[in-house]
PDB file of all heavy atoms in Angstrom:
ATOM      1  N   ASN A 148       7.926  36.153 -24.309  1.00 96.00           N
ATOM      2  CA  ASN A 148       8.290  35.012 -25.202  1.00 96.00           C
ATOM      3  C   ASN A 148       7.683  33.753 -24.756  1.00 96.00           C
ATOM      4  O   ASN A 148       8.253  32.611 -24.656  1.00 96.00           O
ATOM      5  CB  ASN A 148       9.878  34.835 -25.092  1.00 96.00           C
ATOM      6  CG  ASN A 148      10.416  34.322 -26.348  1.00 96.00           C
ATOM      7  OD1 ASN A 148       9.683  34.054 -27.326  1.00 96.00           O
ATOM      8  ND2 ASN A 148      11.697  34.032 -26.452  1.00 96.00           N
ATOM      9  N   PRO A 150       3.969  31.096 -25.025  1.00 98.00           N
ATOM     10  CA  PRO A 150       2.854  30.714 -25.922  1.00 98.00           C
ATOM     11  C   PRO A 150       1.506  31.497 -25.288  1.00 98.00           C
ATOM     12  O   PRO A 150       1.479  31.807 -24.193  1.00 98.00           O
ATOM     13  CB  PRO A 150       2.699  29.259 -25.827  1.00 98.00           C
ATOM     14  CG  PRO A 150       3.673  28.796 -24.707  1.00 98.00           C
ATOM     15  CD  PRO A 150       4.590  29.873 -24.394  1.00 98.00           C
ATOM     16  N   VAL A 229       8.717  41.321 -33.061  1.00 96.00           N
ATOM     17  CA  VAL A 229       7.572  40.639 -33.596  1.00 96.00           C
ATOM     18  C   VAL A 229       6.481  41.654 -34.013  1.00 96.00           C
ATOM     19  O   VAL A 229       6.108  42.449 -33.145  1.00 96.00           O
ATOM     20  CB  VAL A 229       7.031  39.651 -32.428  1.00 96.00           C
ATOM     21  CG1 VAL A 229       5.845  38.830 -33.037  1.00 96.00           C
ATOM     22  CG2 VAL A 229       8.131  38.781 -31.850  1.00 96.00           C
ATOM     23  N   ASP A 233       1.722  39.251 -36.939  1.00 94.00           N
ATOM     24  CA  ASP A 233       2.241  37.895 -36.837  1.00 94.00           C
ATOM     25  C   ASP A 233       1.889  37.205 -35.476  1.00 94.00           C
ATOM     26  O   ASP A 233       1.476  36.011 -35.376  1.00 94.00           O
ATOM     27  CB  ASP A 233       3.764  37.833 -36.905  1.00 94.00           C
ATOM     28  CG  ASP A 233       4.229  38.113 -38.321  1.00 94.00           C
ATOM     29  OD1 ASP A 233       3.460  37.894 -39.276  1.00 94.00           O
ATOM     30  OD2 ASP A 233       5.334  38.738 -38.474  1.00 94.00           O
ATOM     31  N   LEU A 234       1.970  38.079 -34.477  1.00 94.00           N
ATOM     32  CA  LEU A 234       1.575  37.577 -33.173  1.00 94.00           C
ATOM     33  C   LEU A 234       0.067  37.148 -33.063  1.00 94.00           C
ATOM     34  O   LEU A 234      -0.179  36.130 -32.516  1.00 94.00           O
ATOM     35  CB  LEU A 234       1.696  38.832 -32.164  1.00 94.00           C
ATOM     36  CG  LEU A 234       1.787  38.547 -30.699  1.00 94.00           C
ATOM     37  CD1 LEU A 234       2.900  37.608 -30.441  1.00 94.00           C
ATOM     38  CD2 LEU A 234       2.023  39.827 -29.942  1.00 94.00           C
ATOM     39  N   ASN A 237      -0.657  33.631 -34.278  1.00 96.00           N
ATOM     40  CA  ASN A 237       0.162  32.585 -33.632  1.00 96.00           C
ATOM     41  C   ASN A 237      -0.334  32.085 -32.304  1.00 96.00           C
ATOM     42  O   ASN A 237       0.519  31.745 -31.507  1.00 96.00           O
ATOM     43  CB  ASN A 237       1.500  33.202 -33.549  1.00 96.00           C
ATOM     44  CG  ASN A 237       2.729  32.256 -33.310  1.00 96.00           C
ATOM     45  OD1 ASN A 237       2.655  31.146 -33.881  1.00 96.00           O
ATOM     46  ND2 ASN A 237       3.512  32.481 -32.299  1.00 96.00           N
ATOM     47  N   SER A 239      -1.588  29.550 -29.649  1.00 98.00           N
ATOM     48  CA  SER A 239      -1.301  28.047 -29.457  1.00 98.00           C
ATOM     49  C   SER A 239      -2.650  27.310 -29.458  1.00 98.00           C
ATOM     50  O   SER A 239      -2.749  26.136 -29.833  1.00 98.00           O
ATOM     51  CB  SER A 239      -0.537  27.741 -28.210  1.00 98.00           C
ATOM     52  OG  SER A 239       0.764  28.260 -28.337  1.00 98.00           O
ATOM     53  N   LYS A 459       5.457  22.917 -25.064  1.00 94.00           N
ATOM     54  CA  LYS A 459       6.165  24.198 -25.347  1.00 94.00           C
ATOM     55  C   LYS A 459       5.451  24.970 -26.437  1.00 94.00           C
ATOM     56  O   LYS A 459       6.015  25.528 -27.463  1.00 94.00           O
ATOM     57  CB  LYS A 459       7.591  23.984 -25.803  1.00 94.00           C
ATOM     58  CG  LYS A 459       8.343  23.015 -24.925  1.00 94.00           C
ATOM     59  CD  LYS A 459       8.977  23.679 -23.625  1.00 94.00           C
ATOM     60  CE  LYS A 459       9.635  22.685 -22.725  1.00 94.00           C
ATOM     61  NZ  LYS A 459       8.721  22.203 -21.685  1.00 94.00           N
ATOM     62  N   GLY A 460       4.130  25.226 -26.257  1.00 96.00           N
ATOM     63  CA  GLY A 460       3.343  26.059 -27.264  1.00 96.00           C
ATOM     64  C   GLY A 460       2.660  25.166 -28.348  1.00 96.00           C
ATOM     65  O   GLY A 460       1.911  25.646 -28.997  1.00 96.00           O
ATOM     66  N   HIS A 462       3.286  23.961 -31.116  1.00 96.00           N
ATOM     67  CA  HIS A 462       3.227  24.545 -32.502  1.00 96.00           C
ATOM     68  C   HIS A 462       2.827  23.635 -33.592  1.00 96.00           C
ATOM     69  O   HIS A 462       2.398  23.990 -34.671  1.00 96.00           O
ATOM     70  CB  HIS A 462       4.693  25.079 -32.734  1.00 96.00           C
ATOM     71  CG  HIS A 462       4.717  26.415 -33.518  1.00 96.00           C
ATOM     72  ND1 HIS A 462       4.001  27.483 -33.148  1.00 96.00           N
ATOM     73  CD2 HIS A 462       5.359  26.634 -34.733  1.00 96.00           C
ATOM     74  CE1 HIS A 462       4.115  28.462 -34.034  1.00 96.00           C
ATOM     75  NE2 HIS A 462       5.046  28.008 -34.941  1.00 96.00           N
TER      76      HIS A 462
HETATM   77  C1  NAG B   1       4.882  31.572 -32.362  1.00 85.89           C
HETATM   78  O1  NAG B   1       4.645  30.705 -31.236  1.00 85.89           O
HETATM   79  C2  NAG B   1       5.771  29.849 -31.089  1.00 85.89           C
HETATM   80  C3  NAG B   1       5.544  28.854 -29.986  1.00 85.89           C
HETATM   81  O2  NAG B   1       4.461  29.271 -29.155  1.00 85.89           O
HETATM   82  C4  NAG B   1       7.019  30.629 -30.836  1.00 85.89           C
HETATM   83  O3  NAG B   1       8.139  29.725 -30.714  1.00 85.89           O
HETATM   84  C5  NAG B   1       7.169  31.615 -31.997  1.00 85.89           C
HETATM   85  O4  NAG B   1       8.309  32.387 -31.684  1.00 85.89           O
HETATM   86  C6  NAG B   1       6.104  32.380 -32.154  1.00 85.89           C
HETATM   87  N1  NAG B   1       6.135  33.313 -33.316  1.00 85.89           N
HETATM   88  C7  NAG B   1       5.765  34.557 -33.369  1.00 85.89           C
HETATM   89  C8  NAG B   1       6.015  35.315 -34.602  1.00 85.89           C
HETATM   90  O5  NAG B   1       5.242  35.018 -32.528  1.00 85.89           O
END
Side-chain angles (χ1 to χ4, degrees):
N148 209 1
V229 187
D233 289 331
L234 196 59
N237 195 39
S239 290
K459 314 273 176 266
H462 216 53

